[in-house]
Amino acid sequence: MQRLATAFAIAMVLAFGAQAASAQTLKAVQDRGQLVCGGNGTLAGFGMPDPQGNWVGFDVDFCRAIAAAIFNDTKKVKFVPLTTANRFTALQSGEIDLLARNTTWTMSRDTTLGLDFAGVTYYDGQGFMVRKSLNVKSALELSDAAVCVQQGTTTELNLADYFRANRMSLKTVTFATANEAVRAYDTGRCDAYTTDASGLYGERLRLADPSAHIVLPEIISKEPLAPVVRQGDDTWEDLVRWTHEAMLNAEELGITQQNVDDMLKSNSPDVRRLLGAEGQFGQSIGLTNDWAYRIIKAVGNYGESFERNVGQGSPLKIARGLNALWTKGGLQYGLPVR
Amino acid sequence: MSKMLQLPLRSRQQWASIALQAALVVVIGGLAYGAFINAADNLAKAHIASGFRFWDNTAGFDISQTLIGYSPSTSTFGRAFWVGLLNTLLVASLGIVLATALGFTIGIARLSRNWLVARLAGGYVELIRNVPLLLQILFWYNAVLKSLPDLHSSISISGGAFLNNRGLFLPRPEFADKFDYVAAALVFGIVATLAVRIWARRRQERTGQPPRTLSFAFGLIVVLPLLVFFAAGAPLSFSFPEVGRFNIRGGTEILPEFAALLVALTIYTAAFIAEVVRAGILAVSQGQTEAAQALGLRSGSTLRLVVVPQAMRVIVPPLTSQYLNLIKNSSLAVAIGYPDLVQVFAGSVLNITGQAVEVIAITMAVYLFLSLVTSLLMNLYGRTVGIVER
Ligand SMILES: N[C@@H](CCC(=O)N[C@@H](CS)C(=O)NCC(=O)O)C(=O)O
């Protein structure tokens, strides 16, 4: 009932509240002196408070990058932990300015929710985790298996599709939160747990004995994870999109948190445009021209954020894979700043 | 004042009151309409899809317990709604029956003259009603899951049933066509037994002699259908569950999520019902018991024939609110993944369609409807146990 009540409250705001002027997000954020960012809250590597209560993670860094671009201060962000169930409503109702919560960009979400996706920050895909003791080598052996899954996700739908397409029978046990699903899997209620592969690595760390579980090789879906904004505020959408592009361009150009001050003296036109030494790019998105300099100074380039949160510098040790730069065989491709 | 003057005055007041009420209805209707238009307008402005077209779209997600046919690939969101609703009704109605039985037992036990029994019942009530229900649900779920063995060390129960941490698996009865005769015989047996009971009651009222009807009832309800069953060539077979690689195949299964929720709801609500029953019994004056005993009734009969019927008048209204609580509390199912209405509809369907306003409105309407129907039925029942003025 409690969950229902929160959902109800948000639905009511949506239905009856006079809509806040929708094209004013940047101004609202500046006036408030703080960015309000919807995050995950329980997913290691992506968005979770550390023991001191500071939010850390890949999605969190993205919000901090935007705070750096606007305020030159990564602390001016308030994180709101959201479940799969209330994430979109929270954005629609104006409770948050931006949703950065391992959210898959799909056509139906893009076209029916009144929301827009602003660039793929992480190319992911859905995988399965099983106990080693089951001796399963492939997801195709899972016919008849009980699978724990979180509801309200693309995961839930892909799972049913995959089993149907491969003519396997399925016993799904669906939970409202990842916490509950993982706990049930850990107690043996299910043979397998399924979610985005990135999530599997994060959630595995929470199990009683992480080394007793393996991630199966099959990736059964495309999960382009993207930050989300309300539809109809193009300035804000530009700002969010170009924050990601700036971080990618920085990596492509070899600009890091360490060397960004030296790079200001570079005479490469690409570097100079990105860092604001040339052109009016910051102003065109409502900021000062050193916006990208601030981002890189505060959180580093795309690769640095990746490695620190989910890659080799983190307990997750996820390889760059699809998220390597296009020049290194991946899909991340910084759009030109010019 | 003369009578002539009074009448028009009264009717004038009546008219005024009718007009006022009509105006109120118009105002409320207008507000509701305005809210509706505003909502549609806001949603359209925000480019959010609205309306009920999603109802007939393919659901695409799987549900663990379905009382009616459901397949993720062909069933619609509307079908998923009914699946969830039926699961809510199943756990709520069983919960109401079991909680009532347990609650009455505990409530009466708490008034027992046996010190130990009364204290145990009292301890039960105090312990259970002071621990939040959500914790109790999680406790039962984890207690069930953790204490049961996994698939390969399933406890096998004689008769072909299995118990493990995936649930309780029972042989599923498969009825052949001729089983209809057996069912018909059973219905006949029950109706005939009721008729015999009515006849017996009448006779007792006339002669004071209670005729023995037990053997009649046994013959009609048990022996007769059994005879028909064998005469029809035993038209019943069972599909037995067998252990597969990951799970048990075949048979019917009772999910641990369902069991945990049902047990928790029953135990929790029973504690409140016990108090309602105790209060009801205490409200019947001691003189009634003494009078019954003076007539020579034994204490069991005194309770059954004299005290409880009078106590029911006091019990029914608060009992109704306990039933309503149980129905609403069943939505805590989301915490353990039992696919009730909230979990399936206000969970998966809401998230996949994104149509929060519509889905929440429907869900609230359903709970409102269930509550009103329950109240109505209980009020009707309350009238039958109310004092009949002679
Ligand atoms: N990318 C998928 C799934 C996202 C998702 O919610 N994943 C789960 C499992 S990794 C999660 O983050 N759960 C955390 C929580 O609910 O606390 C989607 O957008 O639907």
Side-chain angles (χ1 to χ4, degrees):
Chain A
M1 271 293 142
Q2 218 170 9
R3 234 170 271 215
L4 200 56
T6 351
F8 173 69
I10 301 178
M12 284 298 118
V13 173
L14 259 183
F16 303 118
Q19 292 281 308
S22 62
Q24 298 287 321
T25 312
L26 176 58
K27 179 150 191 318
V29 170
Q30 281 167 333
D31 290 350
R32 197 189 305 127
Q34 196 184 40
L35 171 73
V36 182
C37 200
N40 187 308
T42 60
L43 187 59
F46 283 83
M48 199 165 98
D50 69 7
Q52 286 76 45
N54 301 312
W55 280 61
V56 288
F58 183 75
D59 286 336
V60 169
D61 269 4
F62 188 71
C63 295
R64 294 206 189 279
I66 292 178
I70 301 174
F71 300 113
N72 200 13
D73 183 352
T74 55
K75 294 258 165 342
K76 293 197 169 155
V77 195
K78 187 175 114 193
F79 289 97
V80 178
L82 297 173
T83 64
T84 49
N86 58 15
R87 53 181 160 173
F88 298 122
T89 334
L91 184 58
Q92 290 167 333
S93 65
E95 191 190 337
I96 56 175
D97 303 312
L98 165 73
L99 176 71
R101 187 203 172 281
N102 53 313
T103 295
T104 306
W105 184 353
T106 67
M107 183 163 173
S108 63
R109 288 174 178 175
D110 199 355
T111 56
T112 65
L113 297 177
L115 304 176
D116 275 333
F117 291 76
V120 179
T121 52
Y122 190 109
Y123 289 96
D124 208 344
Q126 183 176 340
F128 292 90
M129 176 161 63
V130 295
R131 254 169 283 277
K132 275 185 186 156
S133 60
L134 274 183
N135 264 323
V136 173
K137 295 279 172 288
S138 152
L140 292 168
E141 295 170 43
L142 288 176
S143 187
D144 252 357
V147 183
C148 282
V149 66
Q150 186 183 3
Q151 73 178 183
T153 52
T154 46
T155 320
E156 188 184 14
L157 298 169
N158 298 329
L159 175 67
D161 279 358
Y162 182 73
F163 274 65
R164 180 180 13 140
N166 291 293
R167 297 205 177 68
M168 305 193 292
S169 79
L170 169 65
K171 299 202 170 193
T172 326
V173 192
T174 312
F175 293 88
T177 69
N179 248 331
E180 290 154 1
V182 172
R183 198 177 332 118
Y185 166 72
D186 210 9
T187 44
R189 175 64 182 90
C190 297
D191 301 299
Y193 170 68
T194 183
T195 186
D196 298 345
S198 61
L200 287 180
Y201 290 97
E203 304 289 12
R204 181 160 68 169
L205 302 175
R206 291 207 280 175
L207 299 173
D209 176 11
S211 64
H213 304 263
I214 54 159
V215 173
L216 296 177
E218 284 84 0
I219 294 293
I220 68 165
S221 70
K222 293 188 283 189
E223 307 289 335
L225 308 183
V228 200
V229 295
R230 277 181 294 278
Q231 189 172 332
D233 187 349
D234 297 350
T235 319
W236 183 244
E237 184 181 340
D238 286 345
L239 192 159
V240 173
R241 161 165 303 112
W242 286 98
T243 297
H244 173 57
E245 301 303 333
M247 291 173 75
L248 281 178
N249 276 298
E251 185 180 8
E252 290 178 3
L253 296 169
I255 311 173
T256 65
Q257 209 169 2
Q258 295 301 322
N259 71 11
V260 63
D261 285 306
D262 298 336
M263 282 296 204
L264 277 177
K265 293 171 225 131
S266 160
N267 37 25
S268 146
D270 283 332
V271 173
R272 292 176 60 80
R273 274 193 298 269
L274 182 62
L275 297 182
E278 258 174 44
Q280 310 283 316
F281 298 99
Q283 284 177 22
S284 64
I285 52 173
L287 301 175
T288 53
N289 288 329
D290 63 346
W291 64 290
Y293 166 84
R294 294 170 169 192
I295 292 173
I296 301 159
K297 183 84 184 161
V299 301
N301 65 35
Y302 179 85
E304 288 177 290
S305 173
F306 190 101
E307 297 298 356
R308 179 170 63 234
N309 292 299
V310 298
Q312 301 312 314
S314 79
L316 277 71
K317 305 250 178 297
I318 301 178
R320 285 291 289 271
L322 292 177
N323 295 298
L325 292 179
W326 61 291
T327 47
K328 308 236 172 80
L331 296 175
Q332 293 292 0
Y333 178 104
L335 305 181
V337 175
R338 74 170 318 134
Chain B
M1 244 186 261
S2 78
K3 270 204 165 145
M4 296 293 265
L5 259 173
Q6 253 177 9
L7 265 176
L9 182 66
R10 199 196 260 160
S11 68
R12 227 183 306 156
Q13 275 175 345
Q14 269 172 355
W15 275 113
S17 122
I18 289 174
L20 197 68
Q21 292 186 28
L24 203 63
V25 168
V26 170
V27 168
I28 291 175
L31 280 179
Y33 181 73
F36 178 78
I37 294 295
N38 184 38
D41 203 44
N42 273 342
L43 291 173
K45 258 191 234 144
H47 309 281
I48 300 173
S50 62
F52 294 92
R53 264 161 303 165
F54 72 92
W55 196 259
D56 293 321
N57 293 350
T58 307
F61 62 92
D62 194 24
I63 305 178
S64 61
Q65 176 183 300
T66 53
L67 299 180
I68 49 174
Y70 174 88
S71 121
S73 49
T74 54
S75 300
T76 60
F77 288 119
R79 188 76 177 182
F81 164 84
W82 289 110
V83 169
L85 177 56
L86 285 174
N87 286 342
T88 290
L89 291 178
L90 178 73
V91 77
S93 54
L94 283 177
I96 284 178
V97 171
L98 296 177
T100 308
L102 184 62
F104 270 74
T105 313
I106 306 261
I108 292 171
R110 201 170 174 187
L111 294 169
S112 162
R113 255 168 278 163
N114 182 324
W115 186 86
L116 187 64
V117 170
R119 282 305 136 91
L120 280 178
Y124 173 95
V125 170
E126 290 313 328
L127 178 70
I128 297 299
R129 68 176 181 171
N130 289 315
V131 177
L133 176 57
L134 182 59
L135 286 184
Q136 295 192 35
I137 292 176
L138 292 173
F139 168 80
W140 288 110
Y141 188 52
N142 289 305
V144 170
L145 279 191
K146 288 239 170 72
S147 59
L148 290 172
D150 66 12
L151 176 75
H152 296 287
S153 26
S154 296
I155 305 169
S156 75
I157 303 165
S158 59
F162 291 99
L163 181 65
N164 59 34
N165 61 9
R166 302 290 160 78
L168 172 62
F169 297 80
L170 302 169
R172 185 178 46 229
E174 259 146 31
F175 304 105
D177 288 346
K178 282 194 182 145
F179 196 83
D180 293 351
Y181 295 116
V182 185
L186 184 68
V187 170
F188 172 79
I190 292 173
V191 172
T193 308
L194 288 179
V196 170
R197 282 272 317 257
I198 292 173
W199 168 80
R201 171 118 12 113
R202 293 241 173 91
R203 208 180 113 171
Q204 183 181 5
E205 274 166 13
R206 251 187 300 119
T207 65
Q209 291 294 314
R212 303 227 167 270
T213 54
L214 213 61
S215 50
F216 262 115
F218 183 77
L220 283 169
I221 297 181
V222 180
V223 180
L224 177 70
L226 271 182
L227 285 178
V228 175
F229 177 75
F230 287 112
L236 173 69
S237 59
F238 287 93
S239 122
F240 286 96
E242 324 160 19
V243 179
R245 174 162 182 201
F246 293 111
N247 263 306
I248 303 243
R249 296 154 172 261
T252 40
E253 80 182 284
I254 295 174
L255 296 176
E257 291 79 33
F258 172 75
L261 183 64
L262 182 61
V263 167
L265 285 175
T266 300
I267 288 186
Y268 182 76
T269 315
F272 291 89
I273 293 183
E275 285 300 90
V276 167
V277 168
R278 183 169 75 111
I281 291 178
L282 288 178
V284 177
S285 95
Q286 185 64 28
Q288 296 285 326
T289 313
E290 284 160 9
Q293 275 160 1
L295 286 176
L297 286 183
R298 260 169 294 166
S299 63
S301 309
T302 306
L303 197 62
R304 194 160 48 82
L305 298 174
V306 178
V307 179
V308 170
Q310 297 187 70
M312 283 316 272
R313 278 184 288 129
V314 185
I315 290 175
V316 168
L319 188 62
T320 309
S321 33
Q322 291 311 324
Y323 288 175
L324 299 185
N325 283 344
L326 189 146
I327 294 173
K328 286 177 285 180
N329 285 339
S330 72
S331 68
L332 288 171
V334 285
I336 55 169
Y338 174 71
D340 80 324
L341 181 68
V342 171
Q343 145 97 1
V344 171
F345 194 62
S348 295
V349 174
L350 188 156
N351 279 295
I352 293 167
T353 62
Q355 296 199 264
V357 177
E358 292 84 352
V359 169
I360 293 297
I362 294 176
T363 311
M364 311 258 303
V366 167
Y367 278 95
L368 183 67
F369 178 76
L370 291 182
S371 294
L372 289 179
V373 168
T374 311
S375 299
L376 182 75
L377 292 178
M378 289 302 283
N379 284 345
L380 288 179
Y381 175 68
R383 235 180 263 169
T384 67
V385 295
I387 287 196
V388 188
E389 311 247 348
R390 293 184 211 239

